[in-house]
Amino acid sequence: MDQIKLPMGRVELDHVDIVTSHICNNRCKHCIDKFIRTSNKVISLETIDKFLNLIRSHTDEQLEVLLLGGEPTVLATDKLIAIAELVHSKGFLVMMSTNGILKDKIIQLIPYYDSIQITVNSDEEIDFWRKWSDKINIKLSGDADLTMEKLEHFIEYTEGFFRRSISMYFTPDFEELCKNAEIWELLDTLEWQRNGSYMYTFYKGVRIKKCIHGETNIIDEPTVPKVYPNGNYNKTWCHEELDDYLDGSWNE
Ligand code: SF4
């Protein structure tokens, strides 16, 4: 454990991910977690401690540490607070990406987290979270239901949230879920920047992210190192079977 290092030498890190579990209280058609519902295991504080020490041995930067899953809020509140405190104690910022279903729990967690990213599906949900707009990154799914009307309404209706974002989702075969021609016409007019294995841009103050076909989730990482609930250290969402990191070796 004392010899751990990043496998590919010194690389630029964007942020780091903690995959808290593969449990979820939702069933999205195109779930982003390939291992969803394959295990009830929840990440341990010991694994997180070891993982953060690895990252800290690589950089002094105050990187963002993002909790995701599965759904992070299925973990006990005490555990999620302990994780936030552990992340802060190592000098990182702590974020969470959630489906927003367990509202009471999220409200309890807000003081402990630097920001919480919530995917919303209605104006009522946006209104609900407005009170915490200084901490909530309000997010819209770029999926099969996205239209120009929905996008423009989201932009207008979420004014005042400190961070707003849209992710253009895709299948493991890189098929975009959004088929709306108007949306893609708009996106094609915007100037995109590359960040590791994905592209991003801003439209009217909203950050939009899309994959790079054939690359995202496969190469150009570990800009986003990930630790998994089983204790393994990895870097991608898909194609883990092709990846040396999945064997859980922390020394190579
Ligand atoms: S909320 Fe997230 S983890 Fe849960 S099913 Fe949907 S995409 Fe998967």
Side-chain angles (χ1 to χ4, degrees), residues 21-33 36-37 69-72 97-99 101 169:
S21 82
H22 298 297
I23 307 166
C24 187
N25 50 357
N26 205 2
R27 285 184 182 267
C28 301
K29 195 169 162 202
H30 292 284
C31 180
I32 55 168
D33 182 359
I36 194 76
R37 279 177 264 281
E71 168 55 36
S97 176
T98 168
N99 58 29
I101 290 175
Y169 287 123

Side-chain angles (χ1 to χ4, degrees), residues 177-189:
L177 300 193
C178 175
K179 307 286 186 200
N180 187 290
E182 264 190 301
I183 293 281
W184 286 105
E185 269 169 38
L186 167 72
L187 297 187
D188 286 345
T189 65

Side-chain angles (χ1 to χ4, degrees), residues 193-204:
Q193 307 218 36
R194 187 180 180 120
N195 186 5
S197 59
Y198 68 86
M199 306 294 285
Y200 73 93
T201 190
F202 285 90
Y203 176 65
K204 298 184 179 177

